[in-house]
Amino acid sequence: MFRALHNDALGKLILRLSVAVLILFHGVSKLLNPGSLGWISDMIAGYGLPAFLAYGVLIGEVIAPLMAIIGWHTRLAGLLMAGNMLVAFLLVHTGEVFMLTENGGWQLELQGMFLFAALAVLFLGSGRIALKPD
């Protein structure tokens, strides 16, 4: 009965599209709000790093999601998205790692979901439904 539901390629496509589209919204928001990149570059400079590294967020939130959506070098896209989320954890959310919401959920459940879904894309690859299946 559940044999028809066994479709790894479709499952990988759904995972790829889910994480990539949702992260892409964050990247497009940064493109439409250039001040957010200024905020990120100021934060990076505050850690003694070159401010231009802030533009790396566009790689992790625009380029990599687009790569994952079309299924081109999907494992690399997963790595870039996961790396982007790790940097976000370190720079922005460090103080929230052990916090819970009023409802008892993890304060960083959205960011955590992005990180772990990107890692899943990294390890699973694109599946057959992709521009360049791996």
Side-chain angles (χ1 to χ4, degrees):
M1 175 164 86
F2 293 107
R3 189 172 181 85
L5 297 178
H6 183 79
N7 189 331
D8 289 348
L10 184 58
K12 289 176 183 180
L13 175 66
I14 291 168
L15 175 65
R16 255 183 30 229
L17 292 178
S18 298
V19 67
V21 168
L22 293 173
I23 289 177
L24 182 61
F25 280 121
H26 289 266
V28 169
S29 173
K30 287 176 180 70
L31 287 174
L32 296 176
N33 268 322
S36 63
L37 284 175
W39 177 79
I40 294 168
S41 65
D42 290 344
M43 185 181 340
I44 287 174
Y47 282 94
L49 298 169
F52 75 86
L53 291 177
Y55 292 97
V57 76
L58 297 178
I59 294 170
E61 292 185 6
V62 176
I63 308 272
L66 290 173
M67 291 168 61
I69 288 168
I70 64 172
W72 182 73
H73 294 286
T74 304
R75 292 178 191 270
L76 175 60
L79 177 65
L80 292 170
M81 290 185 292
N84 184 74
M85 292 313 303
L86 283 174
V87 170
F89 268 80
L90 292 172
L91 293 180
V92 182
H93 301 291
T94 304
E96 301 168 294
V97 170
F98 298 108
M99 294 177 67
L100 299 177
T101 65
E102 292 178 11
N103 300 332
W106 185 30
Q107 183 74 32
L108 299 177
E109 61 190 21
L110 178 63
Q111 294 85 351
M113 186 65 74
F114 286 161
L115 171 62
F116 295 119
L119 287 172
V121 168
L122 167 64
F123 290 113
L124 291 171
S126 65
R128 290 187 320 248
I129 308 170
L131 179 67
K132 184 181 178 212
D134 56 6

